[in-house]
Amino acid sequence: MTVTEEATEEAPPRRRRVTSLEVLCVLLVLALVGQSWLASALDVAAIKTGATVFVAVCAQALPFLVVGVLISGAIAAFLSADLLRRVLPKRAALAVPVAGVAGIALPNCECAAVPVARRLIQQDVPASVAVTFLLAAPAVNPIVLVATAVAFPGEPKMVLARFLGSMGTAVAMGWLWARFGKMEWFAERAMRRLPEHVDGRSRWAVFFETARQDLVDAGGFLVVGGLTAAVLNVVVPRSWIDTLGAQLVLGVVVMAVLAVVLALCSEADAFVVASLSTMPLLPRLVFLVVGPAIDIKLFALQAGTLGRRFAVRFAPLTFVVAIGCAVVAGVLVLGGVR
Amino acid sequence: MRRETQNILLVLLGGALLKMSFTGTYLRYVKPSHQWLLVAAGAVMILLAAVSIVRELRGETDLDGHGDHAHAARSAWLLILPVLAVFLVAPPALGSDSVGRAAGNRSAPPAASSTEGDGSALFPALPAGDPIALPLSEFSSRAAWDRAHSLDERTARLTGFVVQEGDDTYVARLAIACCAADAFPVKIELRGRELSNLPDDSWVEVLARLRPGTATRANEYVPAVSVQAVRSIPEPEDPYEH
């Protein structure tokens, strides 16, 4: 990995007369020539483990990102801003819960929700609604809830608690945004409108072009997230989770941080926490609610797609709100710590 | 970045996904049912790039306009990393290094309705057969939690890779729920034979009997077995348990 990163930095993408196409060719040739050197440089146990995790995160997330950009392209091409305005309730206070419920119907992973949310904002949907959808879609869809039920066969209440915690986070963040959010936090390119096209042929052209552009943009940031997750996966020793045992407050904080750091996909995280049998249910619920709402890979995607100024405000607030909602849902549904 | 370059990167990335799903190397990274998703995603990527290339050739570039994507598209360079990783490096499946990073078997007590307060439970009876082939994860959770002691007096056939830790030799395997990022290790200590000559990460098939009562809270529920026979085998197509 190090080799290609160095090579990317050396590449002069904007020097006159050297186009990116030629840079790419040179990079590929260099990589091919240096393949055996590359392979031997990576022949360290920890780096190999990291490389495997990196490819795994990419292979896991890319199909869902593709689904997301296709939906995003379809919204851009076939759903006019007028139509969306008519469908959604006028008042943000009502539209936010509607967006949360819409999240149930669209089973996709967190990486897919980011381009869709951006497209909704471009189509004049209030940002509070888009934000709610962004948080709800990966967390409360049927696939995730069934996976949770399978992972916790003796604890059906865990599914309800997860649903309420995640939905609470999404709706609370939507309302908070409606009250305090500012549109200028979004990057200019996230807001740029597409020209309205009328005839059928150019609608398809819009569909293909927006989907392709979204994929190229978001794909790069997904790679950043995958790299970070791979490094942390190797560096953070998972064994120290087990020593926490009954330390409740510490357990909640550590599990929340771990959810951000490990960046697991929302259909798998339940299986991972289910195996932490020494830990009470409440910290494990916090892990399940925080993970789909915000993690390191998602932060990279949001910063790239929606703007850095948006992400540095949105991510920490989501983190705090998600912990709060998870604790409340846990106390109400699970009846305490357990 | 120019659109042509973006399209080439998309074709390469789509090709990488198709390559790993057709050659079977995807099993090192994700669960088996993910294969068709990878194929579909790779095909869609190549299709999106192809449509753009065709439009470019026909001179229809009215929509996007050049230039103002300059900032956003810089991140697209990173797409080359997974491409190079898949085509040139092809990282191996997780092995003994990952086992060493975890403390023990994080096997949870089975959450069945018959679970007792101490976590023990009644497992369904084992099928007949001698030796009986068992996944390492099932073997170790039965060893730790089965109240009926269904493994006692049974010879099991275990498949995994070798992990040497200090003076002890283990057979281990990683279990994944979704992708290799969520893998957790299961290991079983091999006793009764001198096996320290087996190198780390070499795949073996072990015939062995459980030493009852060896999987305890103190040793993180890592059971020990008495080895009867060890045979070297090639790495199985799917290196993980699910």
Side-chain angles (χ1 to χ4, degrees):
Chain A
M1 233 46 51
T2 44
V3 184
T4 46
E5 262 171 349
E6 278 163 23
T8 317
E9 278 162 26
E10 283 165 20
R14 231 167 306 289
R15 200 178 297 160
R16 217 169 293 164
R17 288 178 206 287
V18 178
T19 67
S20 52
L21 200 56
E22 286 138 15
V23 175
L24 177 67
C25 292
V26 172
L27 270 180
L28 290 178
V29 170
L30 278 180
L32 275 173
V33 170
Q35 183 190 1
S36 59
W37 184 84
L38 196 68
S40 67
L42 295 178
D43 196 19
V44 178
I47 294 181
K48 269 199 281 187
T49 303
T52 306
V53 172
F54 168 66
V55 175
V57 171
C58 291
Q60 166 63 38
L62 276 172
F64 293 103
L65 188 66
V66 167
V67 173
V69 302
L70 290 180
I71 296 174
S72 155
I75 292 175
F78 304 111
L79 276 185
S80 71
D82 275 347
L83 181 70
L84 280 170
R85 252 198 308 273
R86 257 179 284 143
V87 172
L88 282 167
K90 289 278 173 303
R91 291 180 43 215
L94 287 177
V96 162
V98 171
V101 174
I104 303 177
L106 264 181
N108 55 35
C109 122
E110 51 260 42
C111 325
V114 176
V116 176
R118 167 166 88 157
R119 194 60 60 199
L120 289 174
I121 293 172
Q122 282 179 343
Q123 297 285 57
D124 257 354
V125 169
S128 55
V129 173
V131 159
T132 306
F133 178 81
L134 174 70
L135 293 172
V140 296
N141 68 62
I143 296 176
V144 170
L145 295 178
V146 168
T148 312
V150 173
F152 290 91
E155 298 283 350
K157 282 180 176 171
M158 201 67 180
V159 181
L160 181 62
R162 176 172 199 178
F163 176 82
L164 291 178
S166 291
M167 191 59 107
T169 309
V171 172
M173 285 303 291
W175 281 335
L176 280 174
W177 184 275
R179 178 78 185 73
F180 301 107
K182 290 202 177 61
M183 286 312 271
E184 70 240 33
W185 291 339
F186 288 108
E188 182 273 330
R189 63 175 185 282
M191 310 290 302
R192 186 161 15 82
R193 291 243 156 72
L194 294 157
E196 292 272 340
H197 284 261
V198 206
D199 61 296
R201 184 152 167 279
S202 70
R203 272 180 196 278
W204 280 104
V206 172
F207 170 75
F208 279 110
E209 183 50 33
T210 46
R212 191 196 68 89
Q213 194 63 52
D214 279 357
L215 184 59
V216 171
D217 284 356
F221 291 103
L222 179 67
V223 171
V224 177
L227 275 178
T228 322
V231 170
L232 291 172
N233 195 298
V234 175
V235 173
V236 177
R238 294 214 195 171
S239 46
W240 53 258
I241 311 167
D242 299 335
T243 59
L244 289 169
Q247 289 263 19
L248 187 68
V249 178
L250 193 62
V252 165
V253 174
V254 167
M255 289 305 279
V257 172
L258 212 62
V260 173
V261 162
L262 289 182
L264 301 175
C265 69
S266 52
E267 59 180 288
D269 54 4
F271 295 99
V272 174
V273 280
S275 67
L276 300 177
S277 50
T278 52
M279 187 157 276
L281 281 181
L282 187 63
R284 290 195 266 170
L285 177 65
V286 169
F287 185 93
L288 294 181
V289 173
V290 171
I294 183 68
D295 62 38
I296 200 87
K297 158 185 83 182
L298 210 47
F299 177 74
L301 264 179
Q302 287 173 357
T305 313
L306 297 167
R308 213 172 299 154
R309 295 175 65 203
F310 166 78
V312 294
R313 289 171 173 83
F314 185 72
L317 187 61
T318 309
F319 183 69
V320 175
V321 169
I323 295 179
C325 288
V327 169
V328 171
V331 170
L332 288 181
V333 177
L334 304 174
V337 176
R338 300 224 280 149
Chain B
M1 180 190 280
R2 292 160 61 124
R3 289 161 58 93
E4 299 94 309
T5 320
Q6 295 178 356
N7 291 336
I8 290 174
L9 275 175
L10 277 186
V11 170
L12 287 174
L13 187 59
L17 294 189
L18 289 179
K19 185 201 170 201
M20 73 161 82
S21 45
F22 289 136
T23 56
T25 48
Y26 74 100
L27 287 169
R28 296 174 187 173
Y29 314 115
V30 290
K31 61 183 174 182
S33 61
H34 209 67
Q35 183 180 21
W36 69 268
L37 278 176
L38 286 172
V39 173
V44 168
M45 279 181 195
I46 292 174
L47 175 71
L48 288 177
V51 168
S52 174
I53 290 171
V54 168
R55 283 171 44 82
E56 194 98 357
L57 290 178
R58 286 207 206 137
E60 305 170 38
T61 47
D62 51 316
L63 281 173
D64 185 45
H66 291 272
D68 59 349
H69 272 292
H71 175 74
R74 216 178 301 163
S75 68
W77 279 109
L78 291 164
L79 290 176
I80 204 172
L81 290 181
V83 171
L84 295 181
V86 170
F87 279 116
L88 297 185
V89 182
L94 296 178
S96 58
D97 180 61
S98 306
V99 177
R101 286 170 199 287
N105 290 351
R106 303 188 315 174
S107 78
S113 51
S114 59
T115 308
E116 301 267 299
D118 62 354
S120 67
L122 275 179
F123 282 73
L126 283 172
D130 187 63
I132 176 168
L134 280 175
L136 264 56
S137 46
E138 182 177 356
F139 185 92
S140 92
S141 70
R142 277 178 188 265
W145 308 106
D146 192 0
R147 230 183 310 143
H149 302 289
S150 55
L151 287 176
D152 297 4
E153 309 302 317
R154 297 290 297 265
T155 302
R157 185 165 65 224
L158 307 168
T159 305
F161 53 85
V162 172
V163 176
Q164 305 280 3
E165 279 177 13
D167 293 336
D168 303 324
T169 304
Y170 298 87
V171 61
R173 195 102 184 236
L174 289 138
I176 68 173
C178 201
C179 72
D182 61 50
F184 60 92
V186 188
K187 62 181 181 181
I188 294 171
E189 191 185 344
L190 303 176
R191 290 194 202 160
R193 287 269 181 107
E194 179 54 38
L195 296 169
S196 56
N197 57 334
L198 291 173
D200 272 342
D201 285 321
S202 56
W203 283 82
V204 289
E205 192 181 84
V206 181
L207 291 182
R209 281 196 177 196
L210 175 69
R211 295 193 171 178
T214 44
T216 59
R217 197 186 168 93
N219 70 2
E220 314 248 8
Y221 305 107
V222 177
V225 293
S226 303
V227 176
Q228 296 171 348
V230 178
R231 186 166 72 89
S232 283
I233 55 166
E235 177 174 336
E237 198 186 2
D238 184 354
Y240 303 114
E241 288 177 357
H242 300 278

